Amino acid sequence: MGMIPQVKCRRCGATFSSMRSRCPNCGTRVVSQSSRSPGTTPGTIRGTAAHDRAETNTKWQMAFGLILVVAVILSVVVMVTASLDGMDNANVKVTATPALLSELAPQIEAAPTAEPTPMPKVEAIKILYMNTKDLTPENAWPTMHVGESININAVVYPMDILNPVVEWSINDTEGTYMTLTQKDDGTVDLTCNGSVSGGVKVTASCNGTSQTITIYCRD
């Protein structure tokens, strides 16, 4: 019995004699292995076209694999280098360039303000009646009756003062006894409205200098 080889069941693992065709434990059929060796394929025989093609394919596969490995290594090196450069740049402080607008912008100077021409000093003012008679205390001041009007004007000295502005006023602002009307030609119309004892004072002023006369109103 010891000379008979034993086999093991491929299903249940029981050991039994190789003379049996089935496993005594589970009944699985014993499959006998072929003693024939596989034949050689044409690709393994040197000198054949199949062998040459197989060698060529093997060389191309090895070359492609080598190129792929080199490409992967280069990619890794590039990624590591880029990451290191990024860390170095992050540690570098960036200094802002100062703005040069103030230096480049043209400096525009404001135009000097023209000083107003001072008016010459007024030395005197004379009030004229009918543009000829100088109304001064030495001359007779005109006497008016109610309803009458006279025209007077003022002359500013010195005579070289251009376009002097003369302001007129009376002490009867309500016009009870006299009305003062300024005309476009610079003269003034005085109208008597009622009798008043002591008369009405009329004043002409220009640049701080003035003259006052008295006009009498009678019934």
Side-chain angles (χ1 to χ4, degrees):
M1 295 292 291
M3 299 297 294
I4 300 174
Q6 301 291 312
V7 297
K8 182 181 288 188
C9 180
R10 55 189 174 85
R11 175 175 293 180
C12 65
T15 304
F16 55 93
S17 173
S18 61
M19 300 296 293
R20 293 179 177 271
S21 62
R22 293 182 180 273
C23 176
N25 183 36
C26 64
T28 301
R29 183 178 179 84
V30 178
V31 178
S32 60
Q33 297 182 354
S34 175
S35 59
R36 295 179 56 188
S37 59
T40 58
T41 60
T44 60
I45 301 174
R46 291 183 177 275
T48 61
H51 181 271
D52 295 339
R53 286 195 299 271
E55 280 195 350
T56 302
N57 293 336
T58 302
K59 291 179 181 179
W60 278 109
Q61 290 174 0
M62 291 180 64
F64 179 76
L66 182 60
I67 293 173
L68 183 61
V69 171
V70 173
V72 172
I73 294 174
L74 291 177
S75 300
V76 173
V77 171
V78 171
M79 292 176 62
V80 172
T81 303
S83 61
L84 293 177
D85 291 342
M87 293 177 63
D88 293 340
N89 294 333
N91 295 327
V92 175
K93 294 183 179 179
V94 179
T95 303
T97 303
L100 300 178
L101 294 180
S102 60
E103 298 179 1
L104 298 179
Q107 301 296 328
I108 301 175
E109 297 182 358
T113 303
E115 296 182 358
T117 303
M119 177 180 289
K121 183 178 179 180
V122 177
E123 297 177 359
I125 297 179
K126 289 186 178 182
I127 299 177
L128 303 180
Y129 169 55
M130 298 179 66
N131 203 28
T132 56
K133 188 174 182 180
D134 185 5
L135 298 181
T136 62
E138 291 78 13
N139 297 325
W141 294 349
T143 299
M144 301 171 58
H145 295 280
V146 176
E148 292 182 347
S149 297
I150 62 172
N151 180 265
I152 63 177
N153 67 299
V155 178
V156 178
Y157 297 93
M159 298 291 290
D160 57 355
I161 298 178
L162 298 177
N163 301 320
V165 178
V166 178
E167 296 180 355
W168 293 88
S169 63
I170 59 175
N171 62 344
D172 181 12
T173 56
E174 295 182 357
T176 303
Y177 306 105
M178 185 174 292
T179 302
L180 184 150
T181 304
Q182 296 190 37
K183 302 178 68 175
D184 294 338
D185 59 0
T187 62
V188 171
D189 284 341
L190 297 176
T191 302
C192 181
N193 298 324
S195 176
V196 55
S197 176
V200 177
K201 295 184 180 301
V202 181
T203 302
S205 303
C206 180
N207 197 24
T209 302
S210 62
Q211 183 183 13
T212 301
I213 63 172
T214 302
I215 305 294
Y216 295 97
C217 290
R218 300 282 188 258
D219 290 334

